[in-house]
Amino acid sequence: MTQEINWLERINETAAFIKERVGKMPKTAIILGTGLGNLVEHIDIETIVPYEEIPNFPVSTVEGHSGRLIFGNLGNKYVMAMQGRFHYYEGYTMKENTFPVRVMKAIGVKTLFVSNAAGGMNPNFKIGDLMIITDHINLFPDHPLRGKNYSELGPRFPGMVDAYSPRLIAKCREIAKANDIRVVDGVYVGTQGPTFETPAEYRYFWRIGGDAVGMSTVPEVIVANHTGIEVFGMSVITDIGAEGVVEEASHEEVQKAAAKAEPIMSFLIKEIINQFEEL
Ligand code: HPA
């Protein structure tokens, strides 16, 4: 076993830094996925903290992912947004890439919105569709809760039945319907990447019950649930891996397709947050 890091100390050190630096703490956080960083345009920004300045924070490495924490008002709510997330394929451990979620909990965040770009296996999906994540399948080769469990952070064997908050899902559907926005439901398969799928892999993920596949989100959602943070997740379908129609995308195409759908996703997230008093 490798030398055990004292995660509690690290989390508390980082949380103390953020409280000191930012002052006002949010109850709601948003993680912005590939191509979806423009959601911050909808935030009336009060404070920006670049990841490099945050003690113990990993630094994002992938093109198109700027790394900074944004604090400000989204509609009528004070929120924080992570512009740029940490992926397993970049080489971080699962503990490292979920570290920001631990820090969110330590500064008082109660609800987390996660977004990502994903490839769609469901034959009814179209490029640009917004998918409410109703559940996930964890196919990462490591687990963020492996190793010592800190009971201060959560239980050894956390349940994952309502990993995606039913009330937030219901609210999203209601808002989409009222505004004539097409949203689809789906199960997100989380894989390590960085390769996109072969046709046989897309077929396999569809057969095991997945509707879309991507390289993020699952670790953060596991950690959020472990530590008692309510989660809402949304995927933008940026390419299609359905039987007989594999429309393979480059990273640039994924970013472009996500950016196109971003304003609608941002509208939905903002409305959900604004319609619950306590968020
Ligand atoms: N596969 C995995 N990750 C992705 C995809 C995909 O097809 N599209 C966007 N992220």
Side-chain angles (χ1 to χ4, degrees):
M1 219 158 97
T2 49
Q3 179 78 35
E4 194 60 60
I5 291 163
N6 189 328
W7 287 102
L8 276 186
E9 264 175 28
R10 282 201 188 180
I11 292 161
N12 292 335
E13 184 190 10
T14 306
F17 168 86
I18 291 172
K19 283 181 192 165
E20 165 80 27
R21 172 75 188 267
V22 181
K24 189 175 168 193
M25 291 298 104
K27 284 193 247 155
T28 299
I30 309 168
I31 299 179
L32 303 170
T34 302
L36 299 166
N38 283 340
L39 183 144
V40 301
E41 305 291 328
H42 308 261
I43 298 177
D44 195 2
I45 300 177
E46 287 183 12
T47 314
I48 295 178
V49 190
Y51 292 166
E52 308 85 85
E53 295 176 19
I54 306 175
N56 306 319
F57 241 55
V59 174
S60 192
T61 63
V62 186
E63 263 178 81
H65 302 254
S66 46
R68 47 199 204 148
L69 294 185
I70 311 275
F71 294 80
N73 293 307
L74 179 61
N76 64 15
K77 294 283 165 36
Y78 183 73
V79 301
M80 78 178 266
M82 274 184 73
Q83 199 179 29
R85 63 142 64 88
F86 306 105
H87 299 87
Y88 185 73
Y89 62 75
E90 293 175 82
Y92 304 112
T93 65
M94 290 296 236
K95 289 266 193 282
E96 287 167 342
N97 70 28
T98 56
F99 182 75
V101 180
R102 295 295 184 196
V103 174
M104 287 172 190
K105 173 74 178 185
I107 65 171
V109 166
K110 303 261 189 286
T111 308
L112 173 63
F113 289 75
V114 284
S115 63
N116 60 57
M121 284 86 70
N122 187 318
N124 298 320
F125 289 3
K126 299 192 285 275
I127 289 176
D129 270 350
L130 297 172
M131 184 186 92
I132 297 174
I133 306 178
T134 55
D135 202 348
H136 73 223
I137 298 175
N138 177 19
L139 293 184
F140 281 89
D142 193 4
H143 199 289
L145 305 184
R146 181 168 180 265
K148 177 180 164 70
N149 186 62
Y150 294 91
S151 53
E152 299 92 326
L153 302 179
R156 173 74 287 187
F157 300 108
M160 287 286 142
V161 171
D162 281 330
Y164 298 84
S165 167
R167 70 167 188 150
L168 298 181
I169 290 173
K171 180 60 79 181
C172 182
R173 288 191 189 124
E174 181 191 312
I175 294 163
K177 195 163 174 216
N179 291 278
D180 212 9
I181 294 169
R182 174 180 155 93
V183 290
V184 294
D185 282 353
V187 173
Y188 178 90
V189 178
T191 59
Q192 64 172 314
T195 44
F196 290 117
E197 285 61 39
T198 64
E201 285 166 342
Y202 281 126
R203 202 179 316 130
Y204 164 62
F205 292 154
W206 170 242
R207 288 194 182 159
I208 63 170
D211 295 287
V213 55
M215 307 171 196
S216 66
T217 302
V218 167
E220 293 119 320
V221 171
I222 288 173
V223 167
N225 274 274
H226 176 246
T227 201
I229 293 177
E230 180 181 30
V231 173
F232 178 82
M234 180 158 266
S235 294
V236 176
I237 305 301
T238 55
D239 52 284
I240 298 289
E243 189 93 60
V245 247
V246 178
E247 295 177 30
E248 196 174 43
S250 64
H251 183 59
E252 290 67 34
E253 284 165 326
V254 166
Q255 284 179 305
K256 253 172 83 180
K260 227 176 127 188
E262 176 277 320
I264 309 168
M265 187 197 72
S266 297
F267 169 80
L268 288 171
I269 291 179
K270 178 176 165 180
E271 285 300 308
I272 299 169
I273 294 172
N274 280 225
Q275 288 193 22
F276 286 96
E277 190 67 36
E278 70 279 17
L279 299 190

